[in-house]
């Protein structure tokens, strides 16, 4: 700013920035210099804003001093030394990770644009896979207020008690709905996938069976569910027997059985007599049920599912 200390008079012009007076009456060189200065300031501001579009700048992680303190506490000098001592040498990558054009990293905006470019050639076709994989039409109100609501999806995992009130309410609604649809007295809200839930049911039945180590799986159970059940059974020492529920005769040491409702081929089967047969043998019956189908079918709790 111009002022008396610079020898200026008390005219109104004194109160104007010097660069404004230069632009009004200065030389072409002076006007050009001011323009460059303004463009430079604009570029710097754009660069500052662009840096905030990157995740590493926004991430509230440990500071360098925190890194040093934690490394000293476990007796290593660097993250590289920690990695070398932790990761087995036969799987440790000895060179920088090469992600091609993505190696320098992308800003959030650039990443979203690149993802849109990658998925644009995709064609959404009708799925004929079946086996529990079906199209899902999510109402917009649920999509907007639940799935896209940060207050619902960013707090903690559903397995921890320190969840937000909104998520607790959602889980309560979910397990109440499942209890109604299945006609079961109790329901949890672990939100496991179907195959893992079936394996958990087998493990629970086995744990309460006092040493009985045979578990029957009907041949019409989804293949991915059977695969997970078999893997879990190996760890528990459970023998999995697969067959047709309609012709299966309970054997000595049977702790339980698993059926699919509706079956993997879409058939709606009546398992009431099979449930009675299992109970007569002192075994429990687990049912992998499609929730939407239970709005029309007789719920498992009404024909003997455990």
């Amino acid at each position: 700013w111009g002022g008396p200390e610079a020898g200026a008079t008390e005219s109104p012009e004194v109160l104007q920035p010097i660069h404004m007076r230069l632009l009004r009456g200065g030389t072409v060189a002076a006007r050009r210099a001011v323009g460059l200065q303004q463009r430079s300031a604009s570029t710097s501001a754009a660069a500052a804003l662009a840096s905030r579009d990157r995740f590493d700048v926004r991430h509230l992680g440990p500071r360098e001093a925190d890194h040093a303190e934690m490394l000293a506490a476990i007796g290593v000098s660097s993250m590289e030394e920690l990695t070398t001592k932790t990761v087995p040498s036969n799987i440790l990558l000895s060179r920088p990770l090469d992600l091609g054009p993505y190696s320098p990293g992308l800003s959030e905006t650039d990443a979203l644009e690149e993802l849109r470019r990658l998925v644009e050639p995709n064609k959404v076709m009708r799925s004929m896979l079946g086996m529990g994989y079906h199209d899902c039409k999510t109402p917009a109100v649920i999509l907007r207020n639940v799935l896209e609501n940060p207050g619902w999806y960013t707090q903690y995992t559903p397995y921890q008690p320190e969840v937000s009130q909104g998520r607790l309410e959602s889980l309560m609604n979910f397990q109440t709905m499942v209890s109604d649809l299945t006609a079961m007295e109790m329901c949890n809200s672990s939100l496991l996938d179907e195959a893992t839930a079936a394996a958990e049911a087998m493990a629970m039945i086995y744990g309460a069976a006092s040493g009985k180590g045979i578990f029957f799986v009907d041949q019409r159970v989804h293949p991915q569910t059977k695969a997970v059940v078999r893997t879990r059974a190996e760890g528990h020492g459970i023998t999995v027997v697969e067959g047709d529920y309609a012709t299966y005769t309970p054997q000595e040491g049977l702790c339980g059985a698993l059926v699919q409702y509706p079956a993997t081929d879409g058939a709606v089967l009546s398992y009431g007599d099979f449930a009675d047969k299992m109970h007569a043998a002192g075994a429990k019956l687990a049912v992998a049920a499609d929730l939407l189908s239970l709005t029309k079918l007789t719920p498992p709790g009404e024909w003997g599912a455990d």
Side-chain angles (χ1 to χ4, degrees), residues 195 197-207 209 212-218 221 225-226 228-230 232-233 236-243 248 251-259 274 278 283-288 306:
E200 289 287 340
M202 176 191 67
M204 181 181 294
I205 291 173
Y206 171 71
K212 296 180 179 180
I214 298 177
F215 190 78
F216 174 78
V217 177
D218 184 65
V221 170
T225 300
K226 289 190 288 188
V228 174
V229 166
R230 288 186 179 278
R232 182 69 64 85
H236 287 283
I238 302 172
T239 301
V240 174
V241 176
E242 183 176 344
Y248 175 69
Q251 58 203 101
E252 188 70 26
L254 179 70
C255 65
L258 172 67
V259 295
F274 183 68
M278 290 295 102
K284 301 291 186 182
L285 177 61
V287 180
D306 296 298

Side-chain angles (χ1 to χ4, degrees), residues 260-306:
Q260 191 80 46
Y261 185 64
T264 191
D265 57 5
V268 177
L269 304 171
S270 176
Y271 295 112
D273 292 341
F274 183 68
D276 293 339
K277 186 189 298 186
M278 290 295 102
H279 296 155
K284 301 291 186 182
L285 177 61
V287 180
D290 179 82
L291 289 179
L292 187 59
S293 74
L294 298 185
T295 62
K296 293 293 186 181
L297 302 179
T298 303
E302 294 184 6
W303 45 255
D306 296 298

Side-chain angles (χ1 to χ4, degrees), residues 38-52:
Q38 290 176 330
R39 285 196 296 273
S40 176
S42 176
T43 302
S44 299
L49 290 173
S51 68
R52 295 296 184 269

